Amino acid sequence: MPKAYWIALVTVTDPDAYKGYQAIAPAAFNKYGGRFIVRGGPSITVEGDEWQRHVVIEFDNMELATACYHSAEYQEARGHRDAAATASIVIVEGMPS
């Protein structure tokens, strides 16, 4: 079964409020086995819109990645993020191993 990935593009608009998201979102990722592959760091936008942060989280499969997003834990964290950042998130299935 292929891995699945969250790919998130984020621009933080209120760093203090964003700390609320950062404090509780990891509980959802941990519960569903999410592993950070990319988490911020230097980047160069060569095409498209520029985003401040780029995040890639790996899950063992699409079911876990989707369940994490829809979980009560993540939706609570999302409430904090929505007030503190602009984001675009896609969940994508990886290539078969």
Side-chain angles (χ1 to χ4, degrees):
M1 184 177 289
K3 305 273 187 187
Y5 301 86
W6 282 29
I7 301 173
L9 307 173
V10 181
T11 295
V12 177
T13 55
D14 184 340
D16 289 331
Y18 194 71
K19 289 176 186 174
Y21 171 79
Q22 291 175 310
I24 61 176
F29 303 136
N30 290 336
K31 180 177 179 179
Y32 292 90
R35 295 168 297 282
F36 284 89
I37 304 298
V38 175
R39 190 176 192 177
S43 65
I44 299 169
T45 300
V46 294
E47 287 190 37
D49 296 331
E50 189 163 337
W51 294 85
Q52 186 182 65
R53 292 179 54 82
H54 306 85
V55 180
V56 178
I57 306 170
E58 180 183 68
F59 292 85
D60 285 340
N61 55 56
M62 193 72 152
E63 183 178 287
L64 287 169
T66 303
C68 180
Y69 182 82
H70 293 292
S71 71
E73 296 89 350
Y74 187 74
Q75 290 305 307
E76 179 184 354
R78 182 181 170 210
H80 290 274
R81 190 202 70 223
D82 285 349
T86 303
S88 178
I89 300 173
V90 63
I91 300 173
V92 61
E93 190 171 73
M95 298 293 293
S97 326

